[in-house]
């Protein structure tokens, strides 16, 4: 059973470009979470999605960031007009169900560098 | 609001000695606590969790953690450290509000010295 897959693993963008990060959850998991890790910091929650629905986006910046989890295909985290402060590691996690008891399984992350 | 504190940025321990990585938390109601480990350029791997029941929780790779409600702590322990345990360790918490996201501490870098 493959784990959570993220691609690309490394992404370099120039200021003003768009970044698209993809996440395929573990087989059988329908809940996806995105987290951001800045250097020397812990992970910060961004958004929680189920298929075709955004459940909680309380951690998402109000502008330039969006996320989707379509009926078919991976979840996408999209960052428009990137700035240097967006440089970070972005992790996706998945779980089989909602609920406070369930641990989340993390992907290897996408390291975004904005030049 | 939930919060997690890992008071030590760095912990060094000699191989074969016991190790402790500290974590304290603040939540409304009962906490649900998790430990994850992160190796360089990798994602987080789940180690163990406390939901309810026995205060001593056993997890992967010989790790265990003790839930202490009065001290609001959930320290990670291992009786005998291995060099391969060297990594970044994160404590995380959820509360009963139903929020599905995890609140993470800032991490503790464990170095096991041969």
């Amino acid at each position: 059973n493959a784990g959570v897959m993220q691609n690309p693993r490394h992404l370099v963008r120039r200021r003003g470009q768009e970044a698209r990060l993809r996440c395929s959850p573990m087989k059988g998991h329908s809940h996806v979470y995105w987290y951001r890790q800045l250097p020397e910091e812990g992970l910060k929650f961004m958004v929680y999605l189920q298929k075709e629905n955004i459940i909680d986006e309380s951690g998402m910046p109000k502008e330039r960031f969006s996320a989707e989890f379509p009926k078919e295909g991976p979840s996408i985290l999209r960052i428009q007009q990137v700035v240097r402060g967006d440089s970070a590691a972005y992790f996706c996690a998945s779980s089989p169900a909602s609920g406070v008891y369930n641990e989340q399984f993390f992907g290897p992350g996408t390291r975004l560098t904005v030049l | 609001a939930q919060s997690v504190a890992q008071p030590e940025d760095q912990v060094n321990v000699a191989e074969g000695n016991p190790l402790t990585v500290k974590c304290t938390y603040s939540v409304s109601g009962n906490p649900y606590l998790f430990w994850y480990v992160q190796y360089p350029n990798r994602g987080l791997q789940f180690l163990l969790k406390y939901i309810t029941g026995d205060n001593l929780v056993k997890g992967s790779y010989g790790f265990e953690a003790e839930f202490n409600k009065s001290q609001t702590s959930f320290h990670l322990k291992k009786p005998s450290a291995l060099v391969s345990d060297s990594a970044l360790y994160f404590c995380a918490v959820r509360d009963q509000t139903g929020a599905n996201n995890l609140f993470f501490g800032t991490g503790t870098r464990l170095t096991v010295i041969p």
Side-chain angles (χ1 to χ4, degrees):
Chain A
N1 185 11
V4 177
M5 298 174 67
Q6 290 187 249
N7 65 80
R9 295 290 306 274
H10 300 274
L11 182 61
V12 179
R13 286 286 178 268
R14 296 190 180 280
R15 282 180 294 170
Q17 291 184 320
E18 178 180 285
R20 280 182 178 248
L21 288 63
R22 287 176 290 278
C23 168
S24 296
M26 286 181 70
K27 187 177 181 180
H29 289 193
S30 58
H31 300 252
V32 166
Y33 314 79
W34 285 94
Y35 292 82
R36 177 166 61 178
Q37 184 180 32
L38 295 170
E40 305 304 319
E41 292 188 14
L43 279 72
K44 296 287 195 294
F45 168 76
M46 299 181 75
V47 62
Y48 161 46
L49 311 103
Q50 296 178 24
K51 286 283 188 182
E52 300 185 280
N53 285 303
I54 296 174
I55 306 303
D56 180 357
E57 56 181 349
S58 58
M60 286 277 270
K62 294 286 187 272
E63 298 176 347
R64 303 186 297 108
F65 284 72
S66 62
E68 62 177 10
F69 189 15
K71 187 176 180 180
E72 301 291 338
S75 175
I76 306 287
L77 179 67
R78 181 182 178 203
I79 311 172
Q80 295 178 292
Q81 300 175 323
V82 296
V83 300
R84 288 216 173 107
D86 297 332
S87 295
Y90 292 83
F91 290 96
C92 169
S94 72
S95 66
S98 62
V100 294
Y101 307 122
N102 291 302
E103 64 267 28
Q104 297 173 6
F105 296 84
F106 283 79
T110 293
R111 278 157 182 81
L112 172 65
T113 301
V114 179
L115 301 176
Chain B
Q2 305 94 326
S3 66
V4 174
Q6 293 182 244
E8 300 160 316
D9 291 335
Q10 174 84 39
V11 170
N12 297 324
V13 64
E15 186 177 21
N17 283 3
L19 69 87
T20 299
V21 183
K22 295 179 181 177
C23 171
T24 59
Y25 64 89
S26 174
V27 296
S28 303
N30 292 329
Y32 303 100
L33 295 153
F34 302 79
W35 274 102
Y36 285 84
V37 59
Q38 185 180 29
Y39 296 99
N41 298 315
R42 301 279 296 276
L44 275 68
Q45 295 180 29
F46 170 76
L47 280 178
L48 51 78
K49 66 181 176 183
Y50 172 82
I51 303 299
T52 187
D54 195 349
N55 288 344
L56 186 63
V57 178
K58 294 188 183 297
S60 306
Y61 312 120
F63 284 93
E64 57 189 29
E66 185 169 11
F67 171 64
N68 187 317
K69 188 172 183 178
S70 62
Q71 297 185 5
T72 61
S73 67
F74 190 54
H75 300 333
L76 182 69
K77 300 181 180 184
K78 187 172 182 181
S80 178
L82 301 173
V83 173
S84 57
D85 293 330
S86 298
L88 193 55
Y89 290 81
F90 290 98
C91 182
V93 68
R94 280 197 188 112
D95 69 11
Q96 287 179 300
T97 61
N100 285 277
N101 51 293
L102 293 165
F103 288 83
F104 283 87
T106 52
T108 297
R109 187 167 300 282
L110 172 69
T111 301
V112 180
I113 302 163

mmCIF file with all atom_site columns, all heavy atoms in Angstrom, chain A residues 41-64:
data_model
loop_
_atom_site.group_PDB
_atom_site.id
_atom_site.type_symbol
_atom_site.label_atom_id
_atom_site.label_alt_id
_atom_site.label_comp_id
_atom_site.label_asym_id
_atom_site.label_entity_id
_atom_site.label_seq_id
_atom_site.pdbx_PDB_ins_code
_atom_site.Cartn_x
_atom_site.Cartn_y
_atom_site.Cartn_z
_atom_site.occupancy
_atom_site.B_iso_or_equiv
_atom_site.pdbx_formal_charge
_atom_site.auth_seq_id
_atom_site.auth_comp_id
_atom_site.auth_asym_id
_atom_site.auth_atom_id
_atom_site.pdbx_PDB_model_num
ATOM 1   N N   . GLU A 1 41 ? 10.863  25.758 12.154 1.00 0.00 ? 41 GLU A N   1
ATOM 2   C CA  . GLU A 1 41 ? 9.574   25.871 12.836 1.00 0.00 ? 41 GLU A CA  1
ATOM 3   C C   . GLU A 1 41 ? 8.809   24.573 12.709 1.00 0.00 ? 41 GLU A C   1
ATOM 4   O O   . GLU A 1 41 ? 9.127   23.703 11.900 1.00 0.00 ? 41 GLU A O   1
ATOM 5   C CB  . GLU A 1 41 ? 8.747   27.013 12.244 1.00 0.00 ? 41 GLU A CB  1
ATOM 6   C CG  . GLU A 1 41 ? 9.323   28.400 12.509 1.00 0.00 ? 41 GLU A CG  1
ATOM 7   C CD  . GLU A 1 41 ? 8.358   29.491 12.075 1.00 0.00 ? 41 GLU A CD  1
ATOM 8   O OE1 . GLU A 1 41 ? 7.182   29.192 11.832 1.00 0.00 ? 41 GLU A OE1 1
ATOM 9   O OE2 . GLU A 1 41 ? 8.810   30.646 11.990 1.00 0.00 ? 41 GLU A OE2 1
ATOM 10  N N   . GLY A 1 42 ? 7.778   24.461 13.514 1.00 0.00 ? 42 GLY A N   1
ATOM 11  C CA  . GLY A 1 42 ? 6.881   23.315 13.392 1.00 0.00 ? 42 GLY A CA  1
ATOM 12  C C   . GLY A 1 42 ? 5.928   23.483 12.236 1.00 0.00 ? 42 GLY A C   1
ATOM 13  O O   . GLY A 1 42 ? 5.921   24.493 11.550 1.00 0.00 ? 42 GLY A O   1
ATOM 14  N N   . LEU A 1 43 ? 5.113   22.480 12.014 1.00 0.00 ? 43 LEU A N   1
ATOM 15  C CA  . LEU A 1 43 ? 4.137   22.528 10.937 1.00 0.00 ? 43 LEU A CA  1
ATOM 16  C C   . LEU A 1 43 ? 2.940   23.365 11.364 1.00 0.00 ? 43 LEU A C   1
ATOM 17  O O   . LEU A 1 43 ? 2.466   23.275 12.484 1.00 0.00 ? 43 LEU A O   1
ATOM 18  C CB  . LEU A 1 43 ? 3.658   21.117 10.589 1.00 0.00 ? 43 LEU A CB  1
ATOM 19  C CG  . LEU A 1 43 ? 4.570   20.300 9.682  1.00 0.00 ? 43 LEU A CG  1
ATOM 20  C CD1 . LEU A 1 43 ? 5.819   19.863 10.404 1.00 0.00 ? 43 LEU A CD1 1
ATOM 21  C CD2 . LEU A 1 43 ? 3.816   19.104 9.120  1.00 0.00 ? 43 LEU A CD2 1
ATOM 22  N N   . LYS A 1 44 ? 2.441   24.134 10.407 1.00 0.00 ? 44 LYS A N   1
ATOM 23  C CA  . LYS A 1 44 ? 1.259   24.962 10.650 1.00 0.00 ? 44 LYS A CA  1
ATOM 24  C C   . LYS A 1 44 ? 0.154   24.505 9.694  1.00 0.00 ? 44 LYS A C   1
ATOM 25  O O   . LYS A 1 44 ? 0.347   24.439 8.481  1.00 0.00 ? 44 LYS A O   1
ATOM 26  C CB  . LYS A 1 44 ? 1.565   26.437 10.415 1.00 0.00 ? 44 LYS A CB  1
ATOM 27  C CG  . LYS A 1 44 ? 2.590   27.014 11.367 1.00 0.00 ? 44 LYS A CG  1
ATOM 28  C CD  . LYS A 1 44 ? 2.030   27.217 12.757 1.00 0.00 ? 44 LYS A CD  1
ATOM 29  C CE  . LYS A 1 44 ? 2.883   28.098 13.636 1.00 0.00 ? 44 LYS A CE  1
ATOM 30  N NZ  . LYS A 1 44 ? 4.170   27.531 13.955 1.00 0.00 ? 44 LYS A NZ  1
ATOM 31  N N   . PHE A 1 45 ? -1.002  24.237 10.255 1.00 0.00 ? 45 PHE A N   1
ATOM 32  C CA  . PHE A 1 45 ? -2.156  23.796 9.473  1.00 0.00 ? 45 PHE A CA  1
ATOM 33  C C   . PHE A 1 45 ? -2.590  24.875 8.491  1.00 0.00 ? 45 PHE A C   1
ATOM 34  O O   . PHE A 1 45 ? -2.626  26.063 8.818  1.00 0.00 ? 45 PHE A O   1
ATOM 35  C CB  . PHE A 1 45 ? -3.306  23.461 10.420 1.00 0.00 ? 45 PHE A CB  1
ATOM 36  C CG  . PHE A 1 45 ? -4.625  23.269 9.747  1.00 0.00 ? 45 PHE A CG  1
ATOM 37  C CD1 . PHE A 1 45 ? -4.905  22.111 9.046  1.00 0.00 ? 45 PHE A CD1 1
ATOM 38  C CD2 . PHE A 1 45 ? -5.589  24.265 9.801  1.00 0.00 ? 45 PHE A CD2 1
ATOM 39  C CE1 . PHE A 1 45 ? -6.130  21.936 8.431  1.00 0.00 ? 45 PHE A CE1 1
ATOM 40  C CE2 . PHE A 1 45 ? -6.826  24.099 9.198  1.00 0.00 ? 45 PHE A CE2 1
ATOM 41  C CZ  . PHE A 1 45 ? -7.093  22.930 8.507  1.00 0.00 ? 45 PHE A CZ  1
ATOM 42  N N   . MET A 1 46 ? -2.929  24.428 7.287  1.00 0.00 ? 46 MET A N   1
ATOM 43  C CA  . MET A 1 46 ? -3.437  25.368 6.279  1.00 0.00 ? 46 MET A CA  1
ATOM 44  C C   . MET A 1 46 ? -4.893  25.068 5.942  1.00 0.00 ? 46 MET A C   1
ATOM 45  O O   . MET A 1 46 ? -5.768  25.919 6.105  1.00 0.00 ? 46 MET A O   1
ATOM 46  C CB  . MET A 1 46 ? -2.589  25.295 5.009  1.00 0.00 ? 46 MET A CB  1
ATOM 47  C CG  . MET A 1 46 ? -1.130  25.665 5.211  1.00 0.00 ? 46 MET A CG  1
ATOM 48  S SD  . MET A 1 46 ? -0.204  25.593 3.682  1.00 0.00 ? 46 MET A SD  1
ATOM 49  C CE  . MET A 1 46 ? -0.787  27.081 2.866  1.00 0.00 ? 46 MET A CE  1
ATOM 50  N N   . VAL A 1 47 ? -5.157  23.835 5.493  1.00 0.00 ? 47 VAL A N   1
ATOM 51  C CA  . VAL A 1 47 ? -6.494  23.546 4.984  1.00 0.00 ? 47 VAL A CA  1
ATOM 52  C C   . VAL A 1 47 ? -6.778  22.056 5.101  1.00 0.00 ? 47 VAL A C   1
ATOM 53  O O   . VAL A 1 47 ? -5.867  21.226 5.038  1.00 0.00 ? 47 VAL A O   1
ATOM 54  C CB  . VAL A 1 47 ? -6.617  24.019 3.503  1.00 0.00 ? 47 VAL A CB  1
ATOM 55  C CG1 . VAL A 1 47 ? -5.638  23.280 2.612  1.00 0.00 ? 47 VAL A CG1 1
ATOM 56  C CG2 . VAL A 1 47 ? -8.032  23.889 2.986  1.00 0.00 ? 47 VAL A CG2 1
ATOM 57  N N   . TYR A 1 48 ? -8.079  21.757 5.265  1.00 0.00 ? 48 TYR A N   1
ATOM 58  C CA  . TYR A 1 48 ? -8.547  20.370 5.371  1.00 0.00 ? 48 TYR A CA  1
ATOM 59  C C   . TYR A 1 48 ? -9.636  20.179 4.327  1.00 0.00 ? 48 TYR A C   1
ATOM 60  O O   . TYR A 1 48 ? -10.595 20.965 4.259  1.00 0.00 ? 48 TYR A O   1
ATOM 61  C CB  . TYR A 1 48 ? -9.054  20.114 6.781  1.00 0.00 ? 48 TYR A CB  1
ATOM 62  C CG  . TYR A 1 48 ? -9.973  18.922 6.964  1.00 0.00 ? 48 TYR A CG  1
ATOM 63  C CD1 . TYR A 1 48 ? -9.685  17.679 6.406  1.00 0.00 ? 48 TYR A CD1 1
ATOM 64  C CD2 . TYR A 1 48 ? -11.118 19.050 7.747  1.00 0.00 ? 48 TYR A CD2 1
ATOM 65  C CE1 . TYR A 1 48 ? -10.523 16.601 6.612  1.00 0.00 ? 48 TYR A CE1 1
ATOM 66  C CE2 . TYR A 1 48 ? -11.964 17.969 7.953  1.00 0.00 ? 48 TYR A CE2 1
ATOM 67  C CZ  . TYR A 1 48 ? -11.669 16.746 7.384  1.00 0.00 ? 48 TYR A CZ  1
ATOM 68  O OH  . TYR A 1 48 ? -12.497 15.676 7.585  1.00 0.00 ? 48 TYR A OH  1
ATOM 69  N N   . LEU A 1 49 ? -9.480  19.139 3.518  1.00 0.00 ? 49 LEU A N   1
ATOM 70  C CA  . LEU A 1 49 ? -10.432 18.892 2.436  1.00 0.00 ? 49 LEU A CA  1
ATOM 71  C C   . LEU A 1 49 ? -10.898 17.449 2.451  1.00 0.00 ? 49 LEU A C   1
ATOM 72  O O   . LEU A 1 49 ? -10.162 16.539 2.837  1.00 0.00 ? 49 LEU A O   1
ATOM 73  C CB  . LEU A 1 49 ? -9.789  19.158 1.066  1.00 0.00 ? 49 LEU A CB  1
ATOM 74  C CG  . LEU A 1 49 ? -9.031  20.460 0.845  1.00 0.00 ? 49 LEU A CG  1
ATOM 75  C CD1 . LEU A 1 49 ? -7.530  20.241 0.906  1.00 0.00 ? 49 LEU A CD1 1
ATOM 76  C CD2 . LEU A 1 49 ? -9.397  21.059 -0.491 1.00 0.00 ? 49 LEU A CD2 1
ATOM 77  N N   . GLN A 1 50 ? -12.121 17.274 2.012  1.00 0.00 ? 50 GLN A N   1
ATOM 78  C CA  . GLN A 1 50 ? -12.621 15.983 1.588  1.00 0.00 ? 50 GLN A CA  1
ATOM 79  C C   . GLN A 1 50 ? -12.912 16.091 0.094  1.00 0.00 ? 50 GLN A C   1
ATOM 80  O O   . GLN A 1 50 ? -12.851 17.179 -0.472 1.00 0.00 ? 50 GLN A O   1
ATOM 81  C CB  . GLN A 1 50 ? -13.867 15.596 2.368  1.00 0.00 ? 50 GLN A CB  1
ATOM 82  C CG  . GLN A 1 50 ? -13.604 15.401 3.845  1.00 0.00 ? 50 GLN A CG  1
ATOM 83  C CD  . GLN A 1 50 ? -14.867 15.073 4.613  1.00 0.00 ? 50 GLN A CD  1
ATOM 84  O OE1 . GLN A 1 50 ? -15.835 14.563 4.055  1.00 0.00 ? 50 GLN A OE1 1
ATOM 85  N NE2 . GLN A 1 50 ? -14.874 15.368 5.893  1.00 0.00 ? 50 GLN A NE2 1
ATOM 86  N N   . LYS A 1 51 ? -13.229 14.983 -0.513 1.00 0.00 ? 51 LYS A N   1
ATOM 87  C CA  . LYS A 1 51 ? -13.489 14.997 -1.953 1.00 0.00 ? 51 LYS A CA  1
ATOM 88  C C   . LYS A 1 51 ? -14.497 16.090 -2.306 1.00 0.00 ? 51 LYS A C   1
ATOM 89  O O   . LYS A 1 51 ? -15.609 16.105 -1.792 1.00 0.00 ? 51 LYS A O   1
ATOM 90  C CB  . LYS A 1 51 ? -14.033 13.649 -2.406 1.00 0.00 ? 51 LYS A CB  1
ATOM 91  C CG  . LYS A 1 51 ? -12.979 12.552 -2.453 1.00 0.00 ? 51 LYS A CG  1
ATOM 92  C CD  . LYS A 1 51 ? -12.098 12.660 -3.663 1.00 0.00 ? 51 LYS A CD  1
ATOM 93  C CE  . LYS A 1 51 ? -11.174 11.455 -3.798 1.00 0.00 ? 51 LYS A CE  1
ATOM 94  N NZ  . LYS A 1 51 ? -10.271 11.583 -4.956 1.00 0.00 ? 51 LYS A NZ  1
ATOM 95  N N   . GLU A 1 52 ? -14.066 17.017 -3.154 1.00 0.00 ? 52 GLU A N   1
ATOM 96  C CA  . GLU A 1 52 ? -14.912 18.082 -3.696 1.00 0.00 ? 52 GLU A CA  1
ATOM 97  C C   . GLU A 1 52 ? -15.373 19.093 -2.650 1.00 0.00 ? 52 GLU A C   1
ATOM 98  O O   . GLU A 1 52 ? -16.216 19.948 -2.964 1.00 0.00 ? 52 GLU A O   1
ATOM 99  C CB  . GLU A 1 52 ? -16.125 17.507 -4.427 1.00 0.00 ? 52 GLU A CB  1
ATOM 100 C CG  . GLU A 1 52 ? -15.757 16.599 -5.593 1.00 0.00 ? 52 GLU A CG  1
ATOM 101 C CD  . GLU A 1 52 ? -16.966 16.133 -6.372 1.00 0.00 ? 52 GLU A CD  1
ATOM 102 O OE1 . GLU A 1 52 ? -17.627 15.183 -5.903 1.00 0.00 ? 52 GLU A OE1 1
ATOM 103 O OE2 . GLU A 1 52 ? -17.251 16.725 -7.432 1.00 0.00 ? 52 GLU A OE2 1
ATOM 104 N N   . ASN A 1 53 ? -14.833 19.025 -1.444 1.00 0.00 ? 53 ASN A N   1
ATOM 105 C CA  . ASN A 1 53 ? -15.262 19.973 -0.414 1.00 0.00 ? 53 ASN A CA  1
ATOM 106 C C   . ASN A 1 53 ? -14.079 20.488 0.388  1.00 0.00 ? 53 ASN A C   1
ATOM 107 O O   . ASN A 1 53 ? -13.201 19.727 0.774  1.00 0.00 ? 53 ASN A O   1
ATOM 108 C CB  . ASN A 1 53 ? -16.240 19.297 0.570  1.00 0.00 ? 53 ASN A CB  1
ATOM 109 C CG  . ASN A 1 53 ? -17.609 19.110 -0.033 1.00 0.00 ? 53 ASN A CG  1
ATOM 110 O OD1 . ASN A 1 53 ? -18.247 20.067 -0.468 1.00 0.00 ? 53 ASN A OD1 1
ATOM 111 N ND2 . ASN A 1 53 ? -18.062 17.873 -0.065 1.00 0.00 ? 53 ASN A ND2 1
ATOM 112 N N   . ILE A 1 54 ? -14.097 21.778 0.662  1.00 0.00 ? 54 ILE A N   1
ATOM 113 C CA  . ILE A 1 54 ? -13.165 22.361 1.626  1.00 0.00 ? 54 ILE A CA  1
ATOM 114 C C   . ILE A 1 54 ? -13.883 22.399 2.961  1.00 0.00 ? 54 ILE A C   1
ATOM 115 O O   . ILE A 1 54 ? -14.926 23.040 3.104  1.00 0.00 ? 54 ILE A O   1
ATOM 116 C CB  . ILE A 1 54 ? -12.738 23.782 1.207  1.00 0.00 ? 54 ILE A CB  1
ATOM 117 C CG1 . ILE A 1 54 ? -11.971 23.727 -0.117 1.00 0.00 ? 54 ILE A CG1 1
ATOM 118 C CG2 . ILE A 1 54 ? -11.875 24.418 2.295  1.00 0.00 ? 54 ILE A CG2 1
ATOM 119 C CD1 . ILE A 1 54 ? -11.637 25.091 -0.677 1.00 0.00 ? 54 ILE A CD1 1
ATOM 120 N N   . ILE A 1 55 ? -13.327 21.696 3.946  1.00 0.00 ? 55 ILE A N   1
ATOM 121 C CA  . ILE A 1 55 ? -13.996 21.586 5.242  1.00 0.00 ? 55 ILE A CA  1
ATOM 122 C C   . ILE A 1 55 ? -13.521 22.700 6.186  1.00 0.00 ? 55 ILE A C   1
ATOM 123 O O   . ILE A 1 55 ? -14.310 23.275 6.917  1.00 0.00 ? 55 ILE A O   1
ATOM 124 C CB  . ILE A 1 55 ? -13.726 20.219 5.883  1.00 0.00 ? 55 ILE A CB  1
ATOM 125 C CG1 . ILE A 1 55 ? -14.096 19.088 4.920  1.00 0.00 ? 55 ILE A CG1 1
ATOM 126 C CG2 . ILE A 1 55 ? -14.480 20.097 7.201  1.00 0.00 ? 55 ILE A CG2 1
ATOM 127 C CD1 . ILE A 1 55 ? -15.541 19.118 4.448  1.00 0.00 ? 55 ILE A CD1 1
ATOM 128 N N   . ASP A 1 56 ? -12.234 22.968 6.168  1.00 0.00 ? 56 ASP A N   1
ATOM 129 C CA  . ASP A 1 56 ? -11.675 23.954 7.093  1.00 0.00 ? 56 ASP A CA  1
ATOM 130 C C   . ASP A 1 56 ? -10.481 24.610 6.406  1.00 0.00 ? 56 ASP A C   1
ATOM 131 O O   . ASP A 1 56 ? -9.514  23.930 6.101  1.00 0.00 ? 56 ASP A O   1
ATOM 132 C CB  . ASP A 1 56 ? -11.253 23.263 8.395  1.00 0.00 ? 56 ASP A CB  1
ATOM 133 C CG  . ASP A 1 56 ? -10.648 24.218 9.420  1.00 0.00 ? 56 ASP A CG  1
ATOM 134 O OD1 . ASP A 1 56 ? -10.483 25.418 9.134  1.00 0.00 ? 56 ASP A OD1 1
ATOM 135 O OD2 . ASP A 1 56 ? -10.337 23.747 10.531 1.00 0.00 ? 56 ASP A OD2 1
ATOM 136 N N   . GLU A 1 57 ? -10.566 25.887 6.142  1.00 0.00 ? 57 GLU A N   1
ATOM 137 C CA  . GLU A 1 57 ? -9.443  26.604 5.521  1.00 0.00 ? 57 GLU A CA  1
ATOM 138 C C   . GLU A 1 57 ? -8.969  27.732 6.424  1.00 0.00 ? 57 GLU A C   1
ATOM 139 O O   . GLU A 1 57 ? -8.454  28.747 5.965  1.00 0.00 ? 57 GLU A O   1
ATOM 140 C CB  . GLU A 1 57 ? -9.828  27.124 4.136  1.00 0.00 ? 57 GLU A CB  1
ATOM 141 C CG  . GLU A 1 57 ? -11.047 28.005 4.109  1.00 0.00 ? 57 GLU A CG  1
ATOM 142 C CD  . GLU A 1 57 ? -11.402 28.463 2.692  1.00 0.00 ? 57 GLU A CD  1
ATOM 143 O OE1 . GLU A 1 57 ? -10.591 28.267 1.768  1.00 0.00 ? 57 GLU A OE1 1
ATOM 144 O OE2 . GLU A 1 57 ? -12.513 29.022 2.532  1.00 0.00 ? 57 GLU A OE2 1
ATOM 145 N N   . SER A 1 58 ? -9.132  27.538 7.717  1.00 0.00 ? 58 SER A N   1
ATOM 146 C CA  . SER A 1 58 ? -8.816  28.595 8.671  1.00 0.00 ? 58 SER A CA  1
ATOM 147 C C   . SER A 1 58 ? -7.333  28.955 8.693  1.00 0.00 ? 58 SER A C   1
ATOM 148 O O   . SER A 1 58 ? -6.965  30.028 9.147  1.00 0.00 ? 58 SER A O   1
ATOM 149 C CB  . SER A 1 58 ? -9.276  28.203 10.075 1.00 0.00 ? 58 SER A CB  1
ATOM 150 O OG  . SER A 1 58 ? -8.671  26.980 10.471 1.00 0.00 ? 58 SER A OG  1
ATOM 151 N N   . GLY A 1 59 ? -6.475  28.072 8.216  1.00 0.00 ? 59 GLY A N   1
ATOM 152 C CA  . GLY A 1 59 ? -5.046  28.351 8.225  1.00 0.00 ? 59 GLY A CA  1
ATOM 153 C C   . GLY A 1 59 ? -4.502  28.877 6.916  1.00 0.00 ? 59 GLY A C   1
ATOM 154 O O   . GLY A 1 59 ? -3.299  29.131 6.790  1.00 0.00 ? 59 GLY A O   1
ATOM 155 N N   . MET A 1 60 ? -5.368  29.049 5.953  1.00 0.00 ? 60 MET A N   1
ATOM 156 C CA  . MET A 1 60 ? -4.912  29.495 4.629  1.00 0.00 ? 60 MET A CA  1
ATOM 157 C C   . MET A 1 60 ? -4.782  31.017 4.611  1.00 0.00 ? 60 MET A C   1
ATOM 158 O O   . MET A 1 60 ? -5.676  31.732 5.085  1.00 0.00 ? 60 MET A O   1
ATOM 159 C CB  . MET A 1 60 ? -5.928  29.088 3.564  1.00 0.00 ? 60 MET A CB  1
ATOM 160 C CG  . MET A 1 60 ? -5.893  27.619 3.249  1.00 0.00 ? 60 MET A CG  1
ATOM 161 S SD  . MET A 1 60 ? -4.623  27.202 2.071  1.00 0.00 ? 60 MET A SD  1
ATOM 162 C CE  . MET A 1 60 ? -5.577  27.407 0.563  1.00 0.00 ? 60 MET A CE  1
ATOM 163 N N   . PRO A 1 61 ? -3.703  31.538 4.043  1.00 0.00 ? 61 PRO A N   1
ATOM 164 C CA  . PRO A 1 61 ? -3.644  32.987 3.815  1.00 0.00 ? 61 PRO A CA  1
ATOM 165 C C   . PRO A 1 61 ? -4.835  33.424 2.958  1.00 0.00 ? 61 PRO A C   1
ATOM 166 O O   . PRO A 1 61 ? -5.314  32.676 2.100  1.00 0.00 ? 61 PRO A O   1
ATOM 167 C CB  . PRO A 1 61 ? -2.326  33.165 3.069  1.00 0.00 ? 61 PRO A CB  1
ATOM 168 C CG  . PRO A 1 61 ? -1.508  31.987 3.468  1.00 0.00 ? 61 PRO A CG  1
ATOM 169 C CD  . PRO A 1 61 ? -2.479  30.859 3.632  1.00 0.00 ? 61 PRO A CD  1
ATOM 170 N N   . LYS A 1 62 ? -5.288  34.636 3.201  1.00 0.00 ? 62 LYS A N   1
ATOM 171 C CA  . LYS A 1 62 ? -6.523  35.095 2.555  1.00 0.00 ? 62 LYS A CA  1
ATOM 172 C C   . LYS A 1 62 ? -6.352  35.308 1.066  1.00 0.00 ? 62 LYS A C   1
ATOM 173 O O   . LYS A 1 62 ? -7.313  35.186 0.291  1.00 0.00 ? 62 LYS A O   1
ATOM 174 C CB  . LYS A 1 62 ? -6.986  36.403 3.218  1.00 0.00 ? 62 LYS A CB  1
ATOM 175 C CG  . LYS A 1 62 ? -7.399  36.228 4.663  1.00 0.00 ? 62 LYS A CG  1
ATOM 176 C CD  . LYS A 1 62 ? -8.729  35.531 4.778  1.00 0.00 ? 62 LYS A CD  1
ATOM 177 C CE  . LYS A 1 62 ? -9.249  35.483 6.203  1.00 0.00 ? 62 LYS A CE  1
ATOM 178 N NZ  . LYS A 1 62 ? -8.764  34.311 6.928  1.00 0.00 ? 62 LYS A NZ  1
ATOM 179 N N   . GLU A 1 63 ? -5.160  35.600 0.644  1.00 0.00 ? 63 GLU A N   1
ATOM 180 C CA  . GLU A 1 63 ? -4.934  35.896 -0.780 1.00 0.00 ? 63 GLU A CA  1
ATOM 181 C C   . GLU A 1 63 ? -3.894  34.954 -1.353 1.00 0.00 ? 63 GLU A C   1
ATOM 182 O O   . GLU A 1 63 ? -3.039  34.435 -0.647 1.00 0.00 ? 63 GLU A O   1
ATOM 183 C CB  . GLU A 1 63 ? -4.466  37.357 -0.946 1.00 0.00 ? 63 GLU A CB  1
ATOM 184 C CG  . GLU A 1 63 ? -5.499  38.372 -0.472 1.00 0.00 ? 63 GLU A CG  1
ATOM 185 C CD  . GLU A 1 63 ? -4.988  39.794 -0.563 1.00 0.00 ? 63 GLU A CD  1
ATOM 186 O OE1 . GLU A 1 63 ? -3.775  39.988 -0.759 1.00 0.00 ? 63 GLU A OE1 1
ATOM 187 O OE2 . GLU A 1 63 ? -5.817  40.718 -0.434 1.00 0.00 ? 63 GLU A OE2 1
ATOM 188 N N   . ARG A 1 64 ? -3.997  34.712 -2.618 1.00 0.00 ? 64 ARG A N   1
ATOM 189 C CA  . ARG A 1 64 ? -3.041  33.986 -3.455 1.00 0.00 ? 64 ARG A CA  1
ATOM 190 C C   . ARG A 1 64 ? -3.031  32.470 -3.252 1.00 0.00 ? 64 ARG A C   1
ATOM 191 O O   . ARG A 1 64 ? -2.521  31.757 -4.106 1.00 0.00 ? 64 ARG A O   1
ATOM 192 C CB  . ARG A 1 64 ? -1.604  34.525 -3.274 1.00 0.00 ? 64 ARG A CB  1
ATOM 193 C CG  . ARG A 1 64 ? -1.442  36.010 -3.565 1.00 0.00 ? 64 ARG A CG  1
ATOM 194 C CD  . ARG A 1 64 ? 0.018   36.425 -3.512 1.00 0.00 ? 64 ARG A CD  1
ATOM 195 N NE  . ARG A 1 64 ? 0.600   36.241 -2.173 1.00 0.00 ? 64 ARG A NE  1
ATOM 196 C CZ  . ARG A 1 64 ? 1.482   35.285 -1.871 1.00 0.00 ? 64 ARG A CZ  1
ATOM 197 N NH1 . ARG A 1 64 ? 1.888   34.428 -2.791 1.00 0.00 ? 64 ARG A NH1 1
ATOM 198 N NH2 . ARG A 1 64 ? 1.960   35.194 -0.638 1.00 0.00 ? 64 ARG A NH2 1
#
